[in-house]
Structure formats: C-alpha cells, structure tokens
Amino acid sequence: MSIRLENVSFSYLQNTPMSQAALRDVSLQIEDGEFIGLIGPTGSGKSTLIQHFNGLLKPDSGKVYVDGVDLTLKDTQLRLIRQKVGMVFQYPEHQLFGETVLEDVGFGPRNGGLPEEEVTLRVKEALAYVGLDYEALKDQSPFELSGGQKRRVAIAGVLAMRPSVLVLDEPTAGLDPAGREEILAEIKALHDQGDITVVLVTHSMEDIARFASRLIVMEQGRIALDGTPLKVFGQAQRLKEMGLGVPEITDLMYELKAHGLDVKTDILTVADAEAEIIRVLGRGCDK
Ligand code: ADP
Ligand code: MG
C-alpha cells in the first residue's frame, strides 16, 4: 500500500491569531513494504504528518493519496482507509477501554461486523504478534496489566484490523530498556514476516539505525533529510544543528577520527565499528 503526499501544508487553529504552520509544503512518497523511521525535534511536525496518512487531519492545501485514492476529496470513505492504515498513537494505553483484553483488542473487527469466531481469531493473532498469550489474558482487565503489557494490548488492537500500513508514534516512550527492546523486536518481526509497511516515529537514533531502511527527518514542518540511515547519519553536523544526534557508535567513530584515527564514520552497528577499528589498527601494525 503506497502513500503519497503532494505539497501538503497544514496549520492548527487556522484563522485565529494562534495559527501556526505545522506542515509546510511537504511532498513524500512511501512505498509498499518500506520500514521508515520518522525523526525530528519536538514540534517539528511528525505527529501532524502521520495523521495525514489516514485522513485524521486534512491538509489546508495539497493532496494525500493512499493507493491512489485521494483522501482530500469530500466523498472519500475514510473507514476503509483507517482500517488499512493502522495508527498507534503516543501512549496508546490511555485509549484502552474494554472490560477484558478480548473485548478491547477485538473492538475494531467486531465493530466492522465480523462474526465472533473471526474476531477471536484476529485477537489471538494480534496478541501473538506482540508476544502476549491469548488464553492467559483474554478475560483479564487491560487496566490490571503491567505498563508494557498495556502498551502491547493497545498495539494489538490496531493489529487486529490487519492493517497494510502500521504507523507508530513513539511506541517505546516511557518504557524501560527491556520493554523497549521487546516491542521493537516485535515490530521488526511483524514487518519482516507479514508484508506490512511500517512508519515508526522515534526519538531514539539507536533504535532507528538498526531497524529502518529509510529515515525521514522533519524540521519546522518540512522534510529536512530523507534517505538511507547511512546517508542521513552521514550528515552528523546538520543533525546536530537540529538538536538531533547520531547513534552512539557512529558518534564514537567521529570521535576517533577527530583524534587522528583514520576510520570510516559511516558506521551504524557495534559489529561494523569493531571490524573497522581492527582494520585500521591492523594496517597501522603492518607499517
Ligand atoms: P512533533 O510530533 O514532531 O513533536 P507536532 O506535529 O506535534 O510535532 O507539532 C507540530 C507543531 O504544531 C508544533 O508547533 C505544535 O506546537 C503544533 N501543534 C501540535 N498539535 C497541536 C494542536 N492540537 N493544537 C495547536 N497546535 C498544535
Ligand atoms: Mg509528536
């Protein structure tokens, strides 16, 4: 499922003195099967941008197409689009409401008119994707679960709709490192197994360096950088100016280079860093 934005501009509180441009002339094409990391300083427009992907927000000017369907037209049915472009908001656990996990996760499919048997199937499948056991949890209140489990139940609620595109707004915010790691691994597995397109908004350069095939960097409502992680993290100075960083391991390579070790800096993983340092040191010994 592809998403295309053409010259999209958007302001909140339009026609008031408070009006402020949140998106400025954004054009963007997302292809089927991509894993996109969306980064940028706070207030740069990330959350505003993703809410245009399923018609939750409509541009003041410009066009949004999902699989060729123009979301900005008045008579476009957004129901189907919202089912196909699943959106996991920040702190999605705040939107839990069901008395049981089964009721909560099954809400979308049930509401869509699927028979209870199919709903159960979808709930099982969705819980499995986020590493939760259906039998153990189905009758429990989602409110009595741990923080990490609540978050996963909320994500499962979106997955139960079997979206083609999964958009997650800072899904690991506020979780401990182990919880973060698990959720990211689950999202990665979901992307790799099913053919689902993922757009992941995050603050963590480490996370995104490992998972995304493409990074989009927002700055003041515009797309500032767009490319492979290697290409984007190659712009360390530019990222620094925006108040963003590079992964720690990349930063280390820049440090080594600044101190006179002739290493490459286009490195995103510890394994590659190790190999590169050994290569350079080994070369030194041969001399
Ligand atoms: P990000 O997700 O990158 O932090 P946002 O998309 O939330 O950025 O915000 C972009 C701009 O729009 C910011 O200037 C922010 O203050 C403003 N903004 C976001 N949400 C609202 C809102 N509901 N009402 C008014 N202004 C908003
Ligand atoms: Mg945001």
Side-chain angles (χ1 to χ4, degrees):
M1 183 159 247
S2 68
I3 297 177
R4 184 153 53 95
L5 273 66
E6 284 178 359
N7 307 103
V8 166
S9 294
F10 179 84
S11 304
Y12 289 99
L13 310 167
Q14 246 202 331
N15 306 319
T16 76
M18 310 280 285
S19 177
Q20 203 189 7
L23 294 179
R24 304 164 198 255
D25 199 27
V26 172
S27 294
L28 168 68
Q29 169 110 14
I30 295 172
E31 302 295 346
D32 205 16
E34 284 194 290
F35 193 130
I36 294 184
L38 183 58
I39 57 181
T42 302
S44 57
K46 305 180 296 294
S47 297
T48 306
L49 178 69
I50 60 173
Q51 289 175 72
H52 282 77
F53 294 170
N54 71 352
L56 277 173
L57 294 176
K58 298 248 175 129
D60 301 334
S61 59
K63 288 284 184 189
V64 180
Y65 299 93
V66 173
D67 264 358
V69 176
D70 184 349
L71 302 198
T72 62
L73 293 179
K74 268 207 175 63
D75 52 359
T76 297
Q77 292 283 324
L78 292 174
R79 223 176 85 108
L80 194 67
I81 300 288
R82 296 211 174 127
Q83 183 183 320
K84 288 288 154 204
V85 182
M87 188 95 31
V88 179
F89 294 99
Q90 270 182 285
Y91 298 99
E93 60 273 22
H94 293 165
Q95 286 160 32
L96 293 172
F97 64 92
E99 276 183 27
T100 66
V101 167
L102 175 58
E103 185 191 337
D104 207 296
V105 177
F107 176 78
R110 200 174 286 120
N111 202 37
L114 290 181
E116 200 52 35
E117 224 169 273
E118 175 69 14
V119 171
T120 303
L121 215 94
R122 295 282 193 101
V123 173
K124 272 187 195 167
E125 172 191 275
L127 287 174
Y129 273 131
V130 294
L132 294 178
D133 182 39
Y134 171 81
E135 290 301 334
L137 291 182
K138 67 180 165 77
D139 297 324
Q140 283 202 41
S141 161
F143 300 101
E144 281 158 17
L145 304 174
S146 74
Q149 282 178 325
K150 273 186 202 156
R151 176 96 31 118
R152 293 179 147 108
V153 166
I155 296 174
V158 174
L159 292 178
M161 298 298 287
R162 292 198 182 148
S164 305
V165 182
L166 181 64
V167 184
L168 305 113
D169 200 346
E170 313 219 14
T172 60
L175 298 180
D176 59 26
R180 276 176 37 185
E181 198 54 42
E182 281 168 18
I183 285 199
L184 284 170
E186 285 151 11
I187 295 167
K188 169 87 171 124
L190 191 66
H191 174 260
D192 292 353
Q193 291 161 22
D195 48 342
I196 193 164
T197 307
V198 175
V199 179
L200 179 66
V201 179
T202 180
H203 268 109
S204 166
M205 301 301 150
E206 326 297 324
D207 293 348
I208 214 63
R210 283 184 300 149
F211 295 114
S213 52
R214 173 179 171 196
L215 293 190
I216 296 174
V217 187
M218 301 278 302
E219 184 188 30
Q220 296 183 8
R222 292 198 174 85
I223 293 177
L225 299 168
D226 183 349
T228 62
L230 273 181
K231 185 179 153 208
V232 168
F233 288 130
Q235 309 263 336
Q237 191 53 39
R238 179 89 173 84
L239 291 169
K240 214 169 271 177
E241 284 161 14
M242 288 185 238
L244 301 173
V246 297
E248 276 179 28
I249 194 68
T250 312
D251 207 34
L252 174 71
M253 301 307 275
Y254 276 107
E255 285 288 316
L256 290 175
K257 193 170 176 79
H259 284 82
L261 197 65
D262 189 23
V263 290
K264 293 195 296 184
T265 53
D266 55 347
I267 296 277
L268 299 178
T269 66
V270 173
D272 286 351
E274 192 180 346
E276 174 63 3
I277 292 169
I278 288 171
R279 185 184 72 81
V280 168
L281 292 180
R283 197 177 56 197
C285 293
D286 291 342
K287 275 183 195 160

